[in-house]
Amino acid sequence: MGRTPPSPSAPHRTLRVISVIAATGIALSCGTNYAYSAWAPQFASRLHLTATQQNLIGNFGNIGMYAMGIPGGYLIDRRGPRWGVFAGVLALACGYFPLRAAYLAGPGAYGMPWLCLMGLMTGMGSCTAFSAAIKVCATNWPRHRGTATAFPLSAFGLSAFFYTTVSALVFPDDTAGYLLLLACGTTVMVFVSMFFLQLVKASSPYEAVPTDERPDLGRRDSNRLRRASDHSRHDGRSSGEIDETSSLVDSDTTSTPGDLLERKSHHPHHPKPEVTGLALLHTPKFWQLFIMLGLLCGVGLMTINNIGNNARSLWHHYDDTASDDFIQSRQLLHVSILSLASFVGRLCSGIGSDWLIHHHASRFWTLVASALAFCGAQVVALTLENPNHLFYLSGLTGLAYGALFGVYPALVADAFGPSGLGINWGAMTMAPVLSGNIFNLAYGRILDAHSHFQGDGKGGGEVRCEEGRGCYGSAYWVTLGASVVGVGWSLWCIRLEKVGRMREAREMGGREHEG
């Protein structure tokens, strides 16, 4: 008996698997902006920066990360993903290597505009390379897009944990070493992975065009579809190959609005008109999602960028004998907790939102859970005095932030269609630029108002606050208010979604009865 010949799609599958692995490696070096609070306090102390200046550098990193979405996506779509990754390598190198040089040079060597530019470059490089990795995974696996993108998304969330763990082993209590690891690790890993990242042409048309991206076929097109199916059979294709396409046309002659609504809940990716570009600005759904992301992401970024300052302030008040090396080790611990919790939040959010859709519920319930977790985190920050329990704040914030970003791309794709997801997601991520700046600068000004310079008797010293939670508590009242608004906003979005589905069901039912 002869051996079964290998499937013609086997080489394509191997290349696609290799590309997913490469994309995961790239993503593992693209979330390092979330490790900023692990080295920022020591960086600010050595360069004699205020908390406001420290947060300004972090804000520019966030601006680069989120504002680069649209131009980075344009480059990737026009020139290919490798161009985006290569641009990311250059930007990361132009960010982290000069930041390490600035740390070694000491105070006064580099002005704030240069330091902010360095922070901006780290964010731009991370965004561009990560967008290219997601683009390749989403394009190469159209039928398994959620699973394929889950690997780089999860690696992105683990990035801060990965680098802080390696730094603790290789460069313990050494900020200059940590910055060297970030500079060399991010550029080398992204550069090497770039050569294994490629878009793979589908081996069949059914691999290239998933069901949820095919055009909407109305009742009047059913005969044409049947003719196409018959023609496919005459061409030698098996009936199994066209079942998915044929299922787009319902066999029922009539449907009630209730039936249509139930059917829509079974198929969350029901074909809709694609919306992208400037048309987004005229869509109420865009502003609902934009404002929601801005509110909650800004809340999360304030703690992510300042968990190190929280730890320093609490330890200086709780135990004035705590050494700088001990406090730095606690900062690294909380960055790791944030990263791990974000990883768990992303996984639970993605799986949970699919479970909700399967049970005819809205994905927005995941956002309700995220907003409630943010509320809990702000309450913890306002009441916590013992720094040994600070993991409650870092853990809750990581879970909430991961849950937020784990479901948001799916919400954007559901609302505006998957074909324009690149530019649509880039536009959506502009929201945290404003809110992140507002919350972080508010935190910095509040911390500065409670801080003072303490000399070391040798001509040096540092700016520090010894009031515990009083150093930053007022900032968390602001974010608590934003989190409460987020809960209400997400519930309102659920209500609007339900009303919209009922209206669409009535309209579709009316058109079918007229037909």
Side-chain angles (χ1 to χ4, degrees), residues 211-262:
T211 303
D212 60 353
E213 290 184 18
R214 291 173 182 161
D216 188 9
L217 300 174
R219 169 64 52 184
R220 62 183 182 277
D221 295 326
S222 58
N223 291 331
R224 181 169 53 189
L225 182 62
R226 292 191 184 96
R227 287 195 298 271
S229 302
D230 294 338
H231 180 68
S232 298
R233 291 189 183 93
H234 290 307
D235 285 345
R237 293 178 184 162
S238 66
S239 59
E241 291 180 327
I242 60 172
D243 285 344
E244 186 177 19
T245 305
S246 302
S247 67
L248 288 171
V249 179
D250 199 280
S251 60
D252 295 338
T253 55
T254 60
S255 300
T256 66
D259 294 335
L260 291 167
L261 182 59
E262 183 178 358

Side-chain angles (χ1 to χ4, degrees), residues 49-63:
L49 303 177
T50 65
T52 301
Q53 291 173 322
Q54 175 189 327
N55 273 281
L56 191 61
I57 297 171
N59 281 345
F60 269 86
N62 295 333
I63 290 172

Side-chain angles (χ1 to χ4, degrees), residues 25-51:
I26 290 172
L28 193 60
S29 290
C30 289
T32 53
N33 278 74
Y34 298 132
Y36 178 68
S37 60
W39 56 268
Q42 287 72 33
F43 186 86
S45 177
R46 179 172 174 80
L47 273 61
H48 297 170
L49 303 177
T50 65

